[in-house]
Amino acid sequence: MRTPDRSLADRLIALREAVEVAEGRLDAPEVGQARAVLAKAGAREALGDATVVALAGATGSGKSTLFNALSGSEVSTPGVRRPTTGVAHATVWGRPDDGADRLLDWLEVPRRHRREPEAALDGLVLLDLPDHDSVRLEHRLEVDRLVGLVDVLVWVLDPQKYADAAVHERYLAPLAGHAGVLMVVLNQIDRLDEAAARACLADLRGLLDREGLAATPVLAVSARTGAGLAELRGELARRVGARRAATERLLADVRGSAAELAVHCPEEAAGSSRRWGRPAAGGSVPGDVVDDLTDALAEAAGVPTVTAAVERSTRRTGTGRTGWPVLRWTRKLRPDPLTRLHLGDERARTSLPSAGAVERARMATAVREVRDAAADGLAPAWRDELRRTAEVSEDRLADALDRAVGGTELGSDRVPLWQRAAGGLQWLLLVTALVGALWLLALVGLGFFQLDDVVPLPRVEGLPLPTLLVGGGLLAGALLALVARPLVSLRARRQARAADRRLRAAVRGVAEEELLAPMAEVRDEAARFCGAVTTAAR
Ligand SMILES: Nc1nc2c(ncn2[C@@H]2O[C@H](COP(=O)(O)OP(=O)(O)OP(=O)(O)O)[C@@H](O)[C@H]2O)c(=O)[nH]1
Ligand SMILES: [Mg+2]
């Protein structure tokens, strides 16, 4: 299988993401190993596998001329008036990729030039720095900044100023511990005859040895004639090669570490071009499993108790309103089943009975089913994480459910028009019966005083009117109550169903917030982790 052309930088970014996701979630030794690889890579390597070589030195030593000679074209303008070079220039060897550009962005080198690929020097980024002893402060600052960042520092000296104390004290001596990153070039060697050149080189060598830079190579070159440039190129190629090897080692480390992390990702079917899969993110729990969970939670939260109370309470008030006024007061003796539950206060716990063993067992089963569905396609470590998440969620569930049920609006308090009308009619009928009764009473009184013949008794169809009023009023009232009863029941059932819907929606909301969302988050994280691991490993 061909290794995809992915830069070390991209792989490191991916590995870092995988470690970030795994932090605090995956308890596995591979995560620690990946962290160690990242620490080894450091910040500089994350920017690419280029070798940054900077030419530094005093003004007029010939840095820009040497830079151009190495670059093979006039990139940096050498000048007669000193100092010339104000900002760093760069030449990049090798195929264009954004790695070197990113690196130069990071180094803040704006002027860039690209060279044709040249096998030995591929990956070399050569910088021409402003002079170090510049009178202009910004030049000095630029040099100081870049000297600390580059991989190889080529210090360019000239025969006149090679022993300059400023260079030796400020730059070369402090680099004694880093002799490996330093090279010293004695430029303008064409200006000296052979004997003088040898003497000058010997003197410089002794100077460096005394400063603890015995391991630092010194090369004599002439940027103008090209003498010694081949050796300089050779030395640079060696450094580039070493760095490339180090990069390759790091690349292998990163890929190896990512491959180890990949045990926490599902393995795809053999024969597939991709070895590791990525679990689907987000809501993977099937609808019917969620429905089961909602049912179980609703039962455990006492939703059936509440809906039954809603039905009874609605029927109670309905019959109270439309029933026979004579019997109405008896209802007042029984308390409203709904008020007894103390719903509607979100701060306090309701008086709903807590779930019994059966409900609790059913709830646990439903939670387990949801968890198993969410764990589908996840590697064991992520399943563990999912289990921990579910446990935390379960602890919070009971309180959240009670709050949700207590805070749900159960139905409108609006009295239906027909119930109002029926109630009014009941009163009217009662008054009618009362009028009839009073009339009869008056008739009894008149009879007692033998006066019943004086007042004529109106009759309807042969029946005396007061008797008709009493009988009709009472009978019609009872009949109205009887007719209203099924309508009241119908309304009560409807109210109960509406309350049930609202309560279930609230319970579903709790399930979503406390259980499904945290689990989906674990899945998302697992997907992110496996995506990053795949990027870093393949
Ligand atoms: N004879 C001779 N002259 C050289 C050589 N290299 C550079 N020069 C000359 O030295 C002068 C300074 O060269 P630059 O390359 O501009 O020097 P620099 O180090 O870049 O100077 P700054 O940018 O000011 O720091 C120029 O006139 C070059 O032609 C060399 O090898 N031999
Ligand atoms: Mg210059």
Side-chain angles (χ1 to χ4, degrees):
M1 193 171 68
R2 209 179 75 84
T3 307
D5 212 1
R6 189 170 286 135
S7 73
L8 174 64
D10 289 341
R11 289 176 194 278
L12 279 167
I13 289 167
L15 189 65
R16 186 160 294 122
E17 186 184 358
V19 167
E20 267 167 27
V21 174
E23 205 81 60
R25 284 193 185 273
L26 283 197
D27 184 18
E30 297 82 13
V31 178
Q33 280 157 22
R35 217 179 288 121
V37 169
L38 286 173
K40 189 174 118 189
R44 166 62 184 77
E45 275 79 1
L47 289 157
D49 45 9
T51 310
V52 183
V53 175
L55 303 176
T59 184
S61 60
K63 297 180 297 293
S64 298
T65 314
L66 190 59
F67 176 83
N68 289 340
L70 289 168
S71 300
S73 62
E74 182 137 327
V75 182
S76 190
T77 327
V80 188
R81 257 190 33 226
R82 308 254 75 83
T84 314
T85 311
V87 287
H89 289 254
T91 296
V92 180
W93 273 259
R95 60 189 151 70
D97 69 13
D98 55 351
D101 275 329
R102 213 159 19 177
L103 176 68
L104 289 170
D105 285 344
W106 186 64
L107 291 167
E108 293 171 40
V109 176
R111 309 268 167 83
R112 296 160 200 188
H113 165 75
R114 201 170 283 284
R115 272 275 320 226
E116 290 302 304
E118 196 177 332
L121 292 178
D122 250 9
L124 170 64
V125 175
L126 188 67
L127 300 181
D128 177 22
L129 298 187
D131 64 309
H132 72 88
D133 54 356
S134 176
V135 283
R136 292 177 54 187
L137 177 66
E138 67 265 33
H139 289 193
R140 279 210 309 272
L141 292 179
E142 175 86 340
V143 176
D144 287 348
R145 188 175 71 80
L146 287 172
V147 160
L149 299 175
V150 299
D151 300 306
V152 179
L153 195 59
V154 176
W155 208 279
V156 183
L157 299 170
D158 61 61
Q160 282 97 53
K161 290 196 276 180
Y162 72 86
D164 188 348
V167 180
H168 287 265
E169 274 165 27
R170 181 148 181 206
Y171 295 102
L172 299 181
L175 283 170
H178 301 86
V181 303
L182 190 66
M183 277 170 70
V184 173
V185 161
L186 184 62
N187 189 33
Q188 307 190 12
I189 203 76
D190 58 296
R191 288 168 158 225
L192 304 175
D193 61 32
E194 209 171 307
R198 214 176 301 124
C200 188
L201 267 177
D203 189 30
L204 178 57
R205 181 74 268 171
L207 214 56
L208 293 172
D209 289 353
R210 281 196 295 284
E211 282 166 340
L213 292 168
T216 302
V218 178
L219 295 177
V221 305
S222 165
R224 179 165 290 174
T225 66
L229 283 191
E231 282 126 74
L232 179 56
R233 274 173 188 281
E235 184 59 29
L236 290 180
R238 201 178 59 73
R239 307 272 177 135
V240 169
R243 172 142 191 110
R244 220 158 31 204
T247 300
E248 244 130 63
R249 214 166 36 240
L250 187 60
L251 188 71
D253 284 349
V254 169
R255 294 189 67 201
S257 173
E260 272 167 24
L261 287 177
V263 300
H264 302 301
C265 295
E267 210 163 316
E268 283 201 333
S272 153
S273 64
R274 280 178 54 188
R275 215 181 120 200
W276 300 294
R278 178 202 273 245
S284 61
V285 180
D288 54 331
V289 177
V290 176
D291 289 345
D292 281 352
L293 175 73
T294 312
D295 287 347
L297 292 184
E299 212 162 286
V303 169
T305 313
V306 177
T307 45
V310 166
E311 187 172 345
R312 269 185 283 126
S313 169
T314 317
R315 188 179 297 126
R316 179 178 171 279
T317 43
T319 14
R321 250 180 239 122
T322 61
W324 211 29
V326 185
L327 295 179
R328 238 179 244 192
W329 62 274
T330 56
R331 307 202 170 271
K332 297 250 159 43
L333 297 180
R334 275 187 284 148
D336 186 338
L338 207 49
T339 29
R340 269 168 49 192
L341 294 178
H342 298 113
L343 306 173
D345 184 355
E346 280 184 53
R347 284 155 306 167
R349 252 199 105 90
T350 65
S351 302
L352 277 166
S354 52
V358 178
E359 287 86 5
R360 276 207 305 276
R362 191 178 160 203
M363 182 168 99
T365 309
V367 169
R368 203 166 45 243
E369 260 161 27
V370 165
R371 198 187 68 206
D372 289 349
D376 188 39
L378 290 186
W382 287 103
R383 282 168 180 265
D384 289 348
E385 166 65 5
L386 207 58
R387 190 171 38 70
R388 283 192 290 275
T389 308
E391 271 164 16
V392 171
S393 300
E394 254 182 292
D395 292 344
R396 286 201 308 253
L397 220 48
D399 271 342
L401 283 173
D402 196 67
R403 262 199 313 280
V405 168
T408 302
E409 197 64 55
L410 292 173
S412 73
D413 293 334
R414 195 176 52 82
V415 179
L417 211 58
W418 70 268
Q419 284 194 4
R420 236 185 256 269
L425 197 57
Q426 282 289 19
W427 280 114
L428 207 68
L429 291 170
L430 188 70
V431 168
T432 310
L434 273 176
V435 167
L438 285 176
W439 195 338
L440 284 179
L441 214 64
L443 283 180
V444 172
L446 284 175
F448 181 74
F449 293 110
Q450 308 276 304
L451 290 170
D452 44 352
D453 286 343
V454 181
V455 188
L457 187 64
R459 285 172 186 277
V460 178
E461 305 265 331
L463 282 171
L465 189 58
T467 318
L468 211 62
L469 287 181
V470 174
L474 291 181
L475 203 69
L479 218 67
L480 183 58
L482 219 64
V483 170
R485 186 166 284 236
L487 293 175
V488 165
S489 290
L490 189 71
R491 184 179 132 79
R493 276 199 299 280
R494 226 182 259 153
Q495 291 279 76
R497 268 203 300 279
D500 187 62
R501 268 199 304 279
R502 287 203 195 94
L503 286 166
R504 263 165 213 281
V507 166
R508 174 72 185 253
V510 170
E512 185 62 48
E513 196 175 314
E514 297 291 334
L515 211 61
L516 298 172
M519 285 189 186
E521 199 191 313
V522 173
R523 279 194 75 82
D524 287 348
E525 293 292 75
R528 198 152 78 87
F529 173 83
C530 292
V533 162
T534 313
T535 304
R538 279 190 298 125

